[in-house]
Amino acid sequence: MNITLTELLKQRPDAEWAAAIGVTERAVAAWRYGARVPSPKIAIQAAKAAGIEDPNDIARVRALGVIDLPLIQKKLNMHYPLTLDLFGAEISTNS
């Protein structure tokens, strides 16, 4: 069953989600209306609250409308070395 984050948040009151995930009611309302997206830490908590125990279950996590952890790791693995090359590291490897 594919369900978006917005649909999932409509199933319970904002106060209940806020207490379950550990955020404010305003944050939950902003996610429901699409004004904001949850951080990776909060995305994991939302997935667990929705019954998803494996953070690598990409299809179910993306169906919630949040970013999956393998995608975040992939992007970090790409951008970190590029940033070091662009801005320099403390120890030069080009000597």
Side-chain angles (χ1 to χ4, degrees), residues 42-69:
I42 299 298
I44 291 170
Q45 292 173 343
K48 286 184 178 179
I52 300 171
E53 293 298 324
D54 182 16
N56 293 316
D57 189 354
I58 296 171
R60 289 186 69 196
V61 172
R62 286 184 181 174
L64 288 175
V66 297
I67 301 172
D68 57 282
L69 293 179

